[in-house]
Amino acid sequence: MKLICVQNDPGALKIVVAAHYTKQDVSITAPSRTKKNLSSTLVLDSGVELFSSNSACSYILEASSGSNNAIEVQEFLEWEATKLNPLVSSLIVGVSNGKKAESSEVGNCLKQISDALKGKPYLVDNKLSAADIVIWSTLYPLVSEQKLSKIVPSDLSEWHNKLSSLDSFRAAVEKLNPKSGVENWASSIPPVTIQFSNLSIAPSAVKSQGSLKLPVANPVLPVKGKKNILITSALPYVNNVPHLGNIIGCVLSADVFARYCRARGHPTLYISGTDEYGTATETKAIAEGLTPKQICDKYHEIHSQVYKWFNIGFDHFGRTSHEHQTEICQDLFLKLHKRGLTLTESMEQLLCENCDRFLADRFVEGECPLCGYEDARGDQCDKCGKLVNATELKNPRCKLCQKKPVTKESKHFFIDLPKIEPKLREWMATSSPGWTNNASVIAHSWIKDGLKPRCITRDLKWGIPVPLDGYREKVFYVWFDAPLGYVSMTKTYTNDWEKWWKNPEEVEYYQFMAKDNVPFHAVMFPSTQLGSGDNFTIVNHIMATEYLNYEDGKFSKSRGVGVFGSDVQDTGIPADVWRFYLLYVRPESQDSSFSWNDLMTKNNSELLNNLGNFINRALMFVEKNFDSSIPKVEFTAEDNELVKNINEELVGYNEALEKAKLRDGLRFILAVSRHGNQYMQSNQPWVLVKGNEAEKKRAGSILGLSANIACLIAALLRPYMPCTTETISKQLQAPGKTAFDIPDTFSILLPENHKIGKPAPLFSKIDAAQADQLKARFAGSQEDQAARSSGGKPTPPSLSGDVAALQAAVAAQGEKVRKLKSETKDKTVWQPEVNILLDLKKKLTEAEKAAAAAPPPPQASGEDIDSLTAAVAAQGEKVRKLKAETKDKNVWQPEVQKLLDLKKRLEAASKNAPPKAEAAQPAPPASASKASELEAAVAAQGEVVRKLKAETKDKTVWQPEVDKLLLLKKQLAEIQGVPATQTQSGGKSGKKKK
């Protein structure tokens, strides 16, 4: 084996310790100059490369003993990769930049390790495992460096030192011989911008540690002669937390339908999972400072927990990064290729020679060819909103390294859709009548003018590799591989997966999604299935929703707007109420809106006052007046009329659910409870029970019938509100499967003398104050919400159109953002400040336009000079920082030009300024806008002073900037009518000494 690594990479320690412990040879080679920023890579004798040090460590130990795959070990490895390692790396980099060795987050992690080791020599099963080696290696810089060691608890240091004394650990350190000094460890940490390359392009080359799950023991399989239902919901992407629109559009709708089908006795399989490959994953990984694998692990778990809280009843919730996905995707491609249904074409793309990769659109920035905006993305300009191609940008730059890419051609595979189109049209003609109207319209619009070849490969690192020579460095485009996840996840669930997926004669396939996913499921996925020549089960029913909006706007994962799945758990509102409301407003035929006030109204009127009131009253009267025993039901004409009405609602319910019209189905349930309420209200059994024997008997019959209607409601509610059904069932003590089966007609389910349980209210009221509080809490973006929860949302200074003051404010805010980003990778910390910076830049652009169009200003006043002085200082600081960071003139020259322009304006303003009087005259009343401008200038200059003082103790360096700050504060005090000494002393007053 060969290890390619730098000298001070803790990841290399993991691999070398494992090799020495298992007595395997490993040679060490330094990386090439172009690859020096990559993390350690283990090259096996077979030529397979392992880019994850944890996977390499596990592989070495497992290959030696075969016993290192314990669940506890894998949990430690995942925790180290996703939590401990990023935090330790951030701490090391921070200390190398002059910060203190303090981190409560690292401290918490170290405490967890100490707790896990209490009374034990090793982390798992009292024997050395990959968990010990990996965590020991990550902690090595902390324990060995004096600047860092004080953060490590003494008991943990003692454990670390004991392992260090073992032969395999000592030999590994001697072999790598890492240099001492925090800066050496910091320089060996791979930059976040290329961390996505830390993973193999072919995840199938080595078994994914901890991801391979055995098929279930008793899987649901089709039964000959029965209505076998296969259900999938569009795979949620792992680049964010799902919001309520995602949940109702896909997984929740599919869950309700699956629960209904099971309650009707149909063999039903519900499959979904996370979509994990592609550019969006790489982008998110860069944003969070993690590898794509770590991002996928993190968000797969988040999605799993969100859906678990919502009681989504998947038969299997899988992942597209599973090895079965690679196998099935590559197999399907090769079948299409052999049948002549693929072709190759060259495409012009941007290549970053520094990163050695073709750049996806999201990794390119540059000047918009339409409006000139300097930070346009490779797919769209945020300023003018126009769509652009990456190759059209002027002065393009790689988002990862800021170098200029070159244009090169790259050859890609296309699926020849025109050849498949006749079969697709024939299939669509027979299948689409079972689709929702919007799905049918969208699909037919796609094929209306004929299909064109569609590219199915990309020059990315994170994806399924193309299994042909000359193309193995490319991966399949996510739209080609993702739908096959339904198939691969079923294979993970059961070895008999083909009984579901290659059995169209006996399986009816339903697919749930939002309308934006229709083209991929109605055109692309079926085309690949038809083209393969296999007897695939192809979708019969595409159930597409419109969009769920949020209050007066739209849900947005990218902007963090709306209520997200992880948020609802903290609202105090039960999961079943959320399920109910989302299904009540499900956008089945047109867009609908989520509203906090409407949620409150529907909960209080429909659940509390209608459904909950009926069930609770019926059972309470049975308990109180009939000793919790169901009285005998003796039907009258009125009762028969009630049963007739209920049966009509039941027919409507079943018809709606069979067509997956879930919102309509819910309304039929509420209609049943309204019939029950009206029945009780008109007969008033609470009055009859106090009358003569005949009236008391009639009261018992009314309550017995009402209790049985409650039992029916429990059955009808099960697909929608499973926990509520369980609660009703317990209160009814319903026998057997009564509350699980959904009948065709109503019948007596609770016989005479059946004992019920203890009745209790099913729902709680949501008052207006609570709704208003929640609405305010979730206003704005997730970053806004996080800022408020951590002490209040920061707000940008209120500035008028003064360009100099805005330039100063932008410079100061930019410095603040850079400082925060260098301190933490936690987006919730610095994103609010980024938003302020963007807002200030927007105001500055508007002010510059207004200034250019305005007539020449009158001679400058002293205030203008002060503002320009601060702006020059802030811009000068920005230039100094850029020049210190890079020698690339293209990066800092534009900022130098801005500085020169500001200096010219300051010089002109100084010449035109009237001479100052010997004695200051009282200042005229100042406007609020001028005060705001000076406040911004003071803030900007204050930031300059703080930074200089932090960098050096040399007073000659920072004293001139302090003088400027004091001058600005004095000017601000004068226009505010406050003594300057009070402003400069922070507003405190003191008595003079006598």
Side-chain angles (χ1 to χ4, degrees):
M1 296 184 294
K2 180 175 72 172
L3 176 61
I4 303 172
C5 67
V6 293
Q7 196 170 3
N8 279 64
D9 182 10
L13 269 177
K14 302 173 186 177
I15 297 169
V16 178
V17 170
H20 277 286
Y21 181 71
T22 56
K23 297 181 171 51
Q24 298 186 58
D25 292 330
V26 59
S27 61
I28 296 178
T29 305
S32 63
R33 186 178 62 84
T34 59
K35 303 287 186 180
K36 64 182 180 180
N37 285 328
L38 297 184
S39 61
S40 299
T41 302
L42 182 66
V43 184
L44 305 182
D45 295 337
S46 63
V48 172
E49 296 180 354
L50 301 182
F51 293 85
S52 164
S53 56
N54 285 7
S55 294
C57 179
S58 291
Y59 173 81
I60 293 171
L61 294 173
E62 188 177 0
S64 173
S65 65
S67 61
N68 193 58
N69 212 22
I71 293 175
E72 295 90 344
V73 172
Q74 296 306 315
E75 288 176 347
F76 271 111
L77 297 187
E78 182 173 351
W79 177 80
E80 184 276 340
T82 59
K83 291 187 178 179
L84 178 66
N85 196 309
L87 288 171
V88 170
S89 298
S90 178
L91 176 68
I92 292 172
V93 171
V95 173
S96 72
N97 290 327
K99 296 177 185 174
K100 293 183 179 179
E102 296 175 351
S103 170
S104 59
E105 292 176 310
V106 173
N108 289 336
C109 287
L110 299 182
K111 184 179 184 303
Q112 290 179 51
I113 302 171
S114 295
D115 291 344
L117 283 166
K118 276 185 179 174
K120 298 190 300 183
Y122 304 111
L123 288 165
V124 179
D125 292 340
N126 287 322
K127 63 182 179 182
L128 187 73
S129 69
D132 299 289
I133 294 173
V134 163
I135 289 178
W136 176 89
S137 301
T138 298
L139 298 185
Y140 187 86
L142 300 188
V143 177
S144 61
E145 294 295 335
Q146 188 174 355
K147 287 184 179 180
L148 301 169
S149 59
K150 63 181 180 181
I151 199 174
V152 184
S154 57
D155 56 339
L156 191 55
S157 291
E158 184 179 346
W159 170 81
H160 197 277
N161 292 333
K162 284 181 180 178
L163 291 189
S164 299
S165 65
L166 299 178
D167 290 343
S168 52
F169 290 79
R170 187 173 62 251
V173 174
E174 290 174 355
K175 188 163 189 172
L176 281 172
N177 191 27
K179 296 179 181 178
S180 61
V182 177
E183 63 281 356
N184 290 316
W185 293 105
S187 64
S188 299
I189 295 173
V192 171
T193 52
I194 53 172
Q195 272 197 328
F196 56 80
S197 300
N198 294 353
L199 286 157
S200 169
I201 191 173
S204 61
V206 180
K207 186 173 77 173
S208 175
Q209 299 298 321
S211 68
L212 185 62
K213 295 181 179 179
L214 295 175
V216 298
N218 297 298
V220 178
L221 294 174
V223 178
K224 197 170 186 64
K226 285 202 169 190
K227 185 176 182 179
N228 301 296
I229 305 294
L230 172 63
I231 300 170
T232 61
S233 59
L235 305 181
Y237 210 74
V238 290
N239 66 334
N240 216 320
V241 180
H243 58 60
L244 298 185
N246 305 135
I247 291 168
I248 186 57
C250 303
V251 295
L252 178 54
S253 294
D255 179 60
V256 173
F257 185 68
R259 288 176 183 273
Y260 171 76
C261 291
R262 295 181 191 121
R264 295 288 283 172
H266 308 318
T268 302
L269 179 68
Y270 177 20
I271 294 289
S272 191
T274 44
D275 181 5
E276 302 191 352
Y277 286 130
T279 307
T281 302
E282 292 186 355
T283 305
K284 190 69 173 179
I286 291 168
E288 295 199 14
L290 300 173
T291 65
K293 178 63 165 60
Q294 290 168 344
I295 279 291
C296 293
D297 290 345
K298 172 183 174 179
Y299 281 97
H300 176 80
E301 179 61 23
I302 288 173
H303 278 259
S304 297
Q305 292 303 317
V306 167
Y307 303 142
K308 182 179 180 181
W309 189 84
F310 272 95
N311 288 308
I312 307 298
F314 304 110
D315 289 291
H316 179 69
F317 186 72
R319 310 176 65 171
T320 59
S321 58
H322 194 284
E323 59 189 35
H324 288 334
Q325 177 79 355
T326 301
E327 171 195 333
I328 288 173
C329 184
Q330 291 180 340
D331 177 67
L332 184 73
F333 165 75
L334 291 173
K335 287 176 178 175
L336 292 169
H337 186 62
K338 289 176 183 176
R339 290 167 64 87
L341 296 176
T342 63
L343 51 91
T344 57
E345 288 184 12
S346 292
M347 299 170 60
E348 265 196 352
Q349 291 182 262
L350 293 176
L351 172 72
C352 179
E353 294 176 317
N354 184 59
C355 294
D356 190 26
R357 61 179 281 124
F358 283 98
L359 299 177
D361 293 345
R362 300 186 190 208
F363 291 119
V364 184
E365 294 177 335
E367 184 180 333
C368 175
L370 302 173
C371 73
Y373 179 56
E374 294 182 353
D375 294 318
R377 300 197 313 266
D379 55 353
Q380 187 176 20
C381 174
D382 286 335
K383 185 173 182 182
C384 68
K386 296 291 194 299
L387 298 176
V388 296
N389 292 319
T391 52
E392 296 172 346
L393 292 176
K394 298 178 182 178
N395 302 316
R397 60 186 180 274
C398 171
K399 186 177 179 180
L400 310 179
C401 69
Q402 299 301 307
K403 301 294 184 182
K404 185 175 182 178
V406 297
T407 302
K408 284 197 175 182
E409 286 194 343
S410 178
K411 188 175 285 189
H412 284 278
F413 273 102
F414 287 68
I415 183 171
D416 198 346
L417 290 175
K419 287 185 179 179
I420 304 173
E421 188 175 338
K423 284 186 176 181
L424 181 72
R425 287 180 176 272
E426 181 182 345
W427 163 78
M428 196 178 287
T430 59
S431 178
S432 61
W435 303 358
T436 55
N437 181 65
N438 58 355
S440 183
V441 169
I442 292 169
H444 283 92
S445 69
W446 266 68
I447 66 172
K448 180 180 178 182
D449 298 323
L451 296 174
K452 296 179 176 59
R454 184 92 174 180
C455 185
I456 60 171
T457 56
R458 283 290 185 270
D459 289 297
L460 297 174
K461 299 293 184 184
W462 180 242
I464 295 175
V466 178
L468 289 177
D469 290 339
Y471 296 90
R472 296 185 187 276
E473 295 301 309
K474 301 180 188 296
V475 301
F476 288 112
Y477 190 17
V478 67
W479 78 257
F480 178 78
D481 103 81
L484 290 168
Y486 308 128
V487 184
S488 70
M489 291 166 193
T490 309
K491 183 174 182 179
T492 305
Y493 170 73
T494 173
N495 291 328
D496 292 323
W497 61 277
E498 291 185 339
K499 291 183 178 179
W500 284 108
W501 282 102
K502 296 189 177 180
N503 189 10
E505 296 79 14
E506 295 183 341
V507 173
E508 200 167 344
Y509 177 19
Y510 289 77
Q511 167 65 45
F512 287 80
M513 71 196 77
K515 64 182 178 182
D516 56 339
N517 264 317
V518 168
F520 304 111
H521 293 85
V523 178
M524 309 305 174
F525 185 32
S527 293
T528 59
Q529 290 177 297
L530 291 165
S532 71
D534 289 350
N535 187 34
F536 267 108
T537 302
I538 307 178
V539 65
N540 306 101
H541 305 273
I542 296 181
M543 318 312 293
T545 62
E546 300 292 324
Y547 294 137
L548 178 69
N549 295 320
Y550 179 67
E551 295 288 351
D552 297 325
K554 293 183 180 293
F555 279 95
S556 172
K557 281 200 298 184
S558 60
R559 292 183 289 114
V561 174
V563 183
F564 287 70
S566 53
D567 299 327
V568 297
Q569 303 175 38
D570 300 323
T571 61
I573 299 173
D576 266 15
V577 175
W578 283 104
R579 287 174 64 107
F580 164 82
Y581 181 68
L582 290 174
L583 290 155
Y584 194 97
V585 297
R586 183 174 185 259
E588 290 188 356
S589 56
Q590 62 185 18
D591 289 358
S592 61
S593 291
F594 170 92
S595 161
W596 287 103
N597 288 335
D598 190 48
L599 169 62
M600 173 190 70
T601 301
K602 296 300 185 293
N603 175 82
N604 296 346
S605 63
E606 295 292 4
L607 291 182
L608 187 63
N609 296 337
N610 175 12
L611 193 148
N613 180 59
F614 167 67
I615 295 175
N616 187 246
R617 281 204 301 175
L619 302 191
M620 287 290 288
F621 285 131
V622 169
E623 179 196 37
K624 182 179 179 181
N625 297 292
F626 294 91
D627 193 27
S628 298
S629 294
I630 297 294
K632 182 179 180 181
V633 179
E634 296 182 357
F635 285 91
T636 65
E638 182 184 5
D639 297 343
N640 290 330
E641 183 66 23
L642 172 64
V643 171
K644 176 188 172 186
N645 292 334
I646 287 174
N647 278 329
E648 287 176 357
E649 305 296 355
L650 186 52
V651 169
Y653 171 89
N654 281 320
E655 287 179 350
L657 269 292
E658 290 289 344
K659 297 175 182 177
K661 292 186 175 181
L662 311 179
R663 186 181 61 190
D664 290 346
L666 190 57
R667 282 161 171 71
F668 284 112
I669 301 174
L670 297 173
V672 170
S673 65
R674 268 192 286 274
H675 285 305
N677 269 318
Q678 291 165 5
Y679 173 67
M680 286 190 67
Q681 197 63 35
S682 64
N683 283 279
Q684 297 186 326
W686 53 89
V687 175
L688 294 174
V689 78
K690 297 175 183 177
N692 58 36
E693 199 61 34
E695 289 174 327
K696 187 173 181 179
K697 188 176 181 182
R698 175 60 182 154
S701 181
I702 293 167
L703 293 173
L705 181 55
S706 297
N708 273 279
I709 295 171
C711 195
L712 173 66
I713 290 173
L716 302 183
L717 271 181
R718 178 166 294 281
Y720 295 90
M721 305 175 74
C723 289
T724 302
T725 292
E726 292 294 339
T727 301
I728 299 171
S729 297
K730 288 178 181 177
Q731 292 185 18
L732 290 170
Q733 295 290 339
K737 292 175 62 182
T738 299
F740 291 81
D741 296 335
I742 295 174
D744 291 317
T745 58
F746 172 73
S747 61
I748 296 297
L749 302 169
L750 305 175
E752 182 182 0
N753 295 323
H754 170 79
K755 281 281 188 181
I756 67 169
K758 179 69 177 175
L762 296 171
F763 307 106
S764 299
K765 182 179 181 180
I766 300 175
D767 58 36
Q770 183 183 1
D772 290 342
Q773 183 183 22
L774 290 168
K775 184 176 181 179
R777 174 181 165 188
F778 292 103
S781 68
Q782 285 181 302
E783 288 80 11
D784 297 335
Q785 296 161 23
R788 285 196 297 272
S789 65
S790 62
K793 177 184 174 182
T795 55
S798 175
L799 298 175
S800 67
D802 187 272
V803 173
L806 280 164
Q807 286 173 330
V810 166
Q813 188 66 18
E815 185 61 34
K816 186 174 184 180
V817 167
R818 281 189 290 275
K819 188 171 186 297
L820 284 172
K821 285 189 172 182
S822 70
E823 292 173 351
T824 178
K825 294 173 182 176
D826 186 348
K827 193 174 181 181
T828 60
V829 173
W830 48 256
Q831 186 60 48
E833 302 299 336
V834 171
N835 295 339
I836 292 174
L837 178 60
L838 295 175
D839 183 61
L840 286 169
K841 285 184 175 180
K842 182 179 178 182
K843 288 181 178 179
L844 175 59
T845 301
E846 293 170 353
E848 287 173 337
K849 286 181 179 179
Q859 65 178 17
S861 67
E863 289 90 349
D864 292 324
I865 291 174
D866 293 336
S867 297
L868 284 167
T869 300
V872 167
Q875 185 66 17
E877 180 62 27
K878 185 174 184 180
V879 168
R880 282 191 291 275
K881 183 172 177 60
L882 285 173
K883 284 188 174 183
E885 291 174 351
T886 177
K887 295 179 180 179
D888 187 347
K889 195 172 182 180
N890 292 327
V891 174
W892 48 257
Q893 185 58 47
E895 301 302 329
V896 171
Q897 190 59 50
K898 290 180 184 178
L899 177 61
L900 294 175
D901 291 342
L902 282 169
K903 285 183 175 180
K904 286 180 181 178
R905 291 172 58 192
L906 176 59
E907 183 181 0
S910 300
K911 287 180 180 178
N912 294 329
K916 291 185 179 180
E918 290 297 321
Q921 299 297 317
S927 68
S929 61
K930 179 58 69 176
S932 296
E933 291 166 9
L934 280 169
E935 284 171 352
V938 167
Q941 187 64 17
E943 188 65 31
V944 171
V945 169
R946 280 189 291 276
K947 181 169 178 60
L948 285 174
K949 284 189 172 183
E951 292 174 351
T952 179
K953 295 181 180 179
D954 188 346
K955 193 173 181 179
T956 59
V957 173
W958 47 258
Q959 187 58 51
E961 302 301 332
V962 171
D963 294 340
K964 293 176 186 177
L965 176 61
L966 294 175
L967 180 63
L968 286 169
K969 285 186 174 182
K970 180 179 179 182
Q971 187 64 46
L972 176 61
E974 288 174 354
I975 68 169
Q976 290 178 332
V978 179
T981 54
Q982 183 174 323
T983 304
Q984 292 172 19
S985 62
K988 297 178 182 178
S989 61
K991 295 180 180 179
K992 292 183 180 179
K993 292 183 179 180
K994 293 183 180 180

